[in-house]
Amino acid sequence: MAGIGIVIAILVTLVAVLIPWLPTSASEQMDRIEFVYWFATVICIAVFALVMAVLLYSVMAFRSPPEDESDGPPIHGNTGLEIAWTVVPAILVIAIGVLSAFVLSKNGEAGPNPLNVKVFAQQFAWRFVYPDDGGLKSGELVLPLDRTVKFEMESADVIHSFWIPDMGQKQDLVPGITTSIIVTPTRTGMFSLVCTELCGVGHATMRATVRVLSQDDFAAWVKERKSGGGKPNAGAAIFAGAGCGGCHTFTPAGSNGEIGPGLDDIVSVAQKAGRDPAEFVREAIVEPGKVITPGYQDGVMPPNYGETLSPEEIDALVAYVTGAKK
Ligand code: CUA
């Protein structure tokens, strides 16, 4: 029986270890979450191996001969065994519960000096504001290494959910309330932020790039973003940052979204309608409900880009989309 148990334990351990079930951790919080997973998994493997060993052994050792149709001997139970299989699982479940509660509370601690980042979600884009750095805005989430970040999150329309799989933490954004979450990045590199709450037709495209930089590089990025802004590729950066490509096909941006009308021939569309292309595009950004291209739905494009983008950003975006030379 012990032999069967050991074989099963080894097989299940291989399945647990050899398949990369979780992404490689990139945050302190994910390290703790992984620890909880492994703690529970080891317990599960031990219990599974024990149960399967007893079951398989019993099936083989106590099999009745083909011609034997007599009843088995009456059994009155085993008090010792029953106490054991009640008390041991109770202790294990309580241990998992206590560890989870400890990790949950630890993962909610911002520490004395967190970097504050505000997260704004709307169908179907993410925006980030850095109040500690003069309200710097970004469509890409840039974070410093080894610094605890406190995200305060708001949704403009429906429930979205903030999740960077490599960093573990996940939190809903609910209209009308501000939710928060803590992340301490431990690895530099590029990651993905995904929306993990079905929020409408563009849900699957609601993603943002996360870039973790060393603290010096982060400081340099903040400085550059504060001084820069009106660069030649500003329109491209805003197009990417505001999430336009999630819904619109636009070859210069390499985007192939199909939720909204394609933008490659927007200039000729405007001219056919007898409109000035720049004015037509500006209106489509600021008042997207005014002209709806046949075959597309009203109410999908966020109506508030006029407020969330600055006038200079809208100018740059219009110039970029209409292909105006700068
Ligand atoms: Cu936002 Cu799904």
Side-chain angles (χ1 to χ4, degrees), residues 84-102:
W85 77 45
T86 305
V87 170
V88 173
I91 292 172
L92 294 178
V93 170
I94 289 168
I96 295 172
V98 169
L99 178 68
S100 303
F102 176 76

Side-chain angles (χ1 to χ4, degrees), residues 58-137:
S58 304
V59 164
M60 292 184 294
F62 303 115
R63 177 189 292 271
S64 61
E67 71 284 4
D68 178 7
E69 286 183 6
S70 62
D71 288 343
I75 294 173
H76 290 284
N78 182 320
T79 309
L81 208 51
E82 284 172 17
I83 289 174
W85 77 45
T86 305
V87 170
V88 173
I91 292 172
L92 294 178
V93 170
I94 289 168
I96 295 172
V98 169
L99 178 68
S100 303
F102 176 76
V103 164
L104 205 55
S105 129
K106 197 81 187 150
N107 277 0
E109 281 174 14
N113 181 30
L115 172 73
N116 291 293
V117 176
K118 289 196 181 299
V119 179
F120 296 95
Q122 63 186 105
Q123 291 164 323
F124 301 98
W126 299 96
R127 286 182 306 109
F128 310 97
V129 173
Y130 296 75
D132 300 346
D133 295 302
L136 180 75
K137 288 181 188 171

Side-chain angles (χ1 to χ4, degrees), residues 121-126 157-161 194-200 202-206:
Q122 63 186 105
Q123 291 164 323
F124 301 98
W126 299 96
D157 37 41
V158 300
I159 300 178
H160 302 277
S161 189
V194 300
C195 176
T196 176
E197 184 74 61
L198 183 59
C199 55
H203 161 67
T205 65
M206 190 169 165

Side-chain angles (χ1 to χ4, degrees), residues 149-213:
V149 184
K150 181 172 188 203
F151 294 99
E152 294 216 319
M153 317 200 280
E154 286 172 31
S155 166
D157 37 41
V158 300
I159 300 178
H160 302 277
S161 189
F162 175 103
W163 187 37
I164 304 166
D166 310 71
M167 300 188 186
Q169 297 278 68
K170 190 190 268 186
Q171 173 65 51
D172 279 7
L173 296 91
V174 183
I177 64 173
T178 302
T179 53
S180 70
I181 198 169
I182 310 294
V183 172
T184 314
T186 52
R187 220 153 42 84
T188 55
M190 305 285 282
F191 306 95
S192 282
L193 163 61
V194 300
C195 176
T196 176
E197 184 74 61
L198 183 59
C199 55
V201 284
H203 161 67
T205 65
M206 190 169 165
R207 291 166 164 259
T209 311
V210 182
R211 200 149 50 99
V212 177
L213 302 174

